[in-house]
Amino acid sequence: MRSLVSRRRRAAGLAAVAALLVVTTVACGSGSGGDAGGGGTGDDTATGGVPAAPTATGAPATGRIQQVNETMRKTPFSGIGTTTAFEDAGLTTIVWNPDQGLHISYDGPSGGDMYCKDGVTYMSAGLLAQSLKSQGTEITVPDRLAHTYVTTQSGQGCDAYFALPAAGTFAPDKDTTVMGVRARAIVAGNGTTSDTYLVSAQGPARLLKMKSDRGGRTSSTTYDDFGKKESVTLPSPDRTMTMDAFRAEVDAG
């Protein structure tokens, strides 16, 4: 018989993962969307919405971030790369269709997939188990739940999974080109993490590439196919359950 302490630990782990889902992105970075336009607090936007060159490294990128987030939120796109969110996750693909939702797929040994629509996240049971394991809590997913998706309410739009953080700053020394498009670098971090967002230097404002570093673990995701609508089909209701229901099923064995 499972001990009460063991059950409580698993329950706490599941609750923690539910809270973390909204900040689990393709490259394990996160941000929040902003309004359109370039009227931010910095002087990073020139006439016509084209960003002026920052005077130095560390110049606020507020206006350009708002533009990029607004464009990405409204524009279908795809992405491919790697992630620091899960160990052994393998190649990561992302499809965003503003009308149908978000689909992120991980094809490695610890793979699985997740969806988001209208602030609700759907994570495959196996991927949820891997996420728990990365947080120090191990569970065994019963065979009957192997193809189940666990739902959580994020309280945010699905663009939170790919939006740039508002506090990013320009890093001119990291400017480059991505697939032939001139890109400007915006960096964000808190001392233990570091993210570099390469955004289009001119309109339309787009996120072209993201690079992350998590204590020496690195990842990189490239975004493409802007405007191309790929179909995103959410898991059917008979294949989904809430986090509380999933916890009860796991405890039942």
Side-chain angles (χ1 to χ4, degrees), residues 83-106:
T83 181
T84 57
F86 309 102
E87 293 184 6
D88 302 321
L91 193 66
T92 301
T93 57
I94 176 174
V95 173
W96 168 242
N97 182 323
D99 297 325
Q100 298 178 341
L102 178 74
H103 181 204
I104 304 175
S105 178
Y106 309 87

Side-chain angles (χ1 to χ4, degrees), residues 71-72 74-78 96-98 224-230:
T71 300
M72 297 293 283
K74 294 180 177 180
T75 305
F77 63 82
S78 299
W96 168 242
N97 182 323
D224 198 5
D225 292 331
F226 298 102
K228 181 180 179 181
K229 282 191 176 183
E230 297 284 351

Side-chain angles (χ1 to χ4, degrees), residues 31 92 130 170:
T92 301
Q130 291 298 327
F170 284 115

